[in-house]
Amino acid sequence: SSSVMNISEHLSCPLGFGHYNAVDICILETVVIVLLTFLIIAGNLTVIFVFHCAPLLHHYTTSYFIQTMAYADLFVGVSCLVPTLSLLHYSTGVHESLTCQVFGYIISVLKSVSMACLACISVDRYLAITKPLSYNQLVTPCRLRICIILIWIYSCVIFLPSFFGWGKPGYHGDIFEWCATSWLTNAYFTGFIVCLLYAPAAFVICFTYFHIFKICRQHTKEINDRRARFPSHEVDAAGETGHSPDRRYAMVLFRITSVFYVLWLPYIIYFLLESSRVLENPALSFLTTWLAISNSFCNCVIYSLSNSVFRLGLRRLSETICSSC
């Protein structure tokens, strides 16, 4: 009980109207953070191992971006060990401000990598459907690796101004008191991040998926018209080998993208409102932040439920582990 009382003294816990109520809230926050940390690390390690054990997954060029997202999400889970360990054993050193800045910067960079990868995945699927004949010449493994390197560099650079006193990179739900009281958001820096990251990524994703499903719908209509005119097996075979696999795979990626923005949208809205000094609520800050961070685990669940090749690789990995045990 003394350790819990110590936690409540040093952490910024929302909704703490009374002392015992604050302790209860701190315990709830600790449970949420520890559980999410475990799920994110375990889930993304599973995705990474399955990709290494299932060669068929490497036939998709988007596997480069999916694996990059898995590593980024894994690093999110590892980064979450910082607040987890601080909750379990609080350090009263003078480096609290540096810890807050580094932690906020790392989380922001990793979420930027995920967002940029989702935008690149949508562009990749758009090229695969709109330019099927020249796709292999346009999208090569070398260009994909260069694109991933540029994503990491861009994500690291865009949040660097936060170290020079220009606003907060966007991490809320602060665990350390210094983060909540002394490190404030800045409307100009928030607008800078929105214009250079959130808005372009959202526009690219909306544009590409709108045209992907539009083209797939037109293609399906043409196949149905051909079947009505020429009810033969040749037409059925042509239809099955057309855009149908691409459309199914695009749907899997569209689900991942949709869940990403559903979980991150409350965080982005609160980020904008807090930066404009319109709303400041510690409870909303904590909930929106960790709801967004939970997306790092949701990606694993969606991909494992939606992709049959991934499920096959997961089953083989499980059988290998069970047989070795």
Side-chain angles (χ1 to χ4, degrees):
S1 59
S2 60
S3 61
V4 174
M5 302 289 279
N6 186 35
I7 290 173
S8 66
E9 290 176 1
H10 291 288
L11 303 181
S12 53
C13 301
L15 302 179
F17 298 109
H19 183 69
Y20 292 102
N21 197 10
V23 173
D24 294 338
I25 294 298
C26 281
I27 294 173
L28 179 61
E29 287 185 6
T30 306
V31 170
V32 170
I33 295 172
V34 171
L35 180 62
L36 277 180
T37 301
F38 171 77
L39 291 177
I40 290 170
I41 293 176
N44 285 285
L45 279 176
T46 302
V47 171
I48 292 168
F49 283 133
V50 169
F51 265 93
H52 283 291
C53 297
L56 287 175
L57 287 169
H58 296 283
H59 293 176
Y60 298 103
T61 55
T62 50
S63 66
Y64 287 86
F65 297 111
I66 294 292
Q67 289 183 78
T68 302
M69 288 175 59
Y71 280 107
D73 290 336
L74 176 63
F75 293 148
V76 168
V78 173
S79 300
C80 288
L81 289 174
V82 174
T84 301
L85 295 176
S86 69
L87 285 167
L88 299 177
H89 180 69
Y90 182 76
S91 175
T92 57
V94 295
H95 302 292
E96 182 182 347
S97 60
L98 180 61
T99 303
C100 291
Q101 287 180 318
V102 172
F103 181 53
Y105 174 78
I106 290 175
I107 290 291
S108 299
V109 168
L110 294 174
K111 71 162 185 205
S112 174
V113 170
S114 296
M115 196 172 294
C117 282
L118 289 173
C120 290
I121 285 172
S122 68
V123 173
D124 176 84
R125 291 299 87 198
Y126 177 78
L127 293 175
I129 290 179
T130 57
K131 300 181 182 297
L133 299 179
S134 58
Y135 174 77
N136 291 329
Q137 287 74 34
L138 291 172
V139 183
T140 62
C142 180
R143 290 179 179 176
L144 288 172
R145 293 188 184 98
I146 292 173
C147 182
I148 291 171
I149 292 173
L150 291 176
I151 287 173
W152 280 99
I153 293 175
Y154 183 79
S155 300
C156 291
V157 169
I158 195 174
F159 290 101
L160 274 180
S162 63
F163 278 107
F164 301 98
W166 192 28
K168 199 174 184 178
Y171 175 71
H172 301 283
D174 304 303
I175 300 302
F176 295 104
E177 186 179 356
W178 186 90
C179 291
T181 58
S182 303
W183 198 16
L184 303 178
T185 53
N186 183 287
Y188 295 105
F189 182 69
T190 302
F192 171 77
I193 296 297
V194 169
C195 292
L196 293 184
L197 178 62
Y198 296 149
F203 174 78
V204 168
I205 288 170
C206 292
F207 175 84
T208 52
Y209 278 113
F210 172 79
H211 285 83
I212 286 171
F213 291 117
K214 182 180 178 181
I215 292 170
C216 289
R217 189 164 55 248
Q218 291 175 350
H219 186 76
T220 303
K221 184 179 178 182
E222 290 175 3
I223 291 175
N224 292 333
D225 291 341
R226 289 179 184 177
R227 285 175 177 171
R229 294 179 183 179
F230 311 102
S232 63
H233 296 287
E234 289 78 7
V235 174
D236 292 340
E240 291 298 328
T241 57
H243 289 294
S244 182
D246 286 330
R247 184 182 183 183
R248 287 195 297 269
Y249 194 59
M251 279 299 299
V252 174
L253 301 172
F254 180 71
R255 292 189 193 106
I256 293 175
T257 305
S258 300
V259 171
F260 180 91
Y261 276 95
V262 166
L263 294 177
W264 276 97
L265 190 59
Y267 168 86
I268 295 172
I269 292 173
Y270 182 82
F271 185 28
L272 292 170
L273 293 176
E274 187 184 87
S275 301
S276 305
R277 302 296 182 266
V278 175
L279 176 65
E280 279 192 46
N281 189 305
L284 282 178
S285 175
F286 179 84
L287 291 174
T288 55
T289 296
W290 291 97
L291 180 67
I293 291 177
S294 69
N295 176 78
S296 298
F297 171 70
C298 293
N299 288 339
C300 316
V301 177
I302 297 169
Y303 205 72
S304 60
L305 294 177
S306 303
N307 191 287
S308 58
V309 179
F310 184 88
R311 290 198 300 271
L312 178 62
L314 182 59
R315 186 162 61 247
R316 289 178 178 176
L317 178 63
S318 303
E319 291 173 355
T320 304
I321 294 174
C322 292
S323 61
S324 62
C325 293

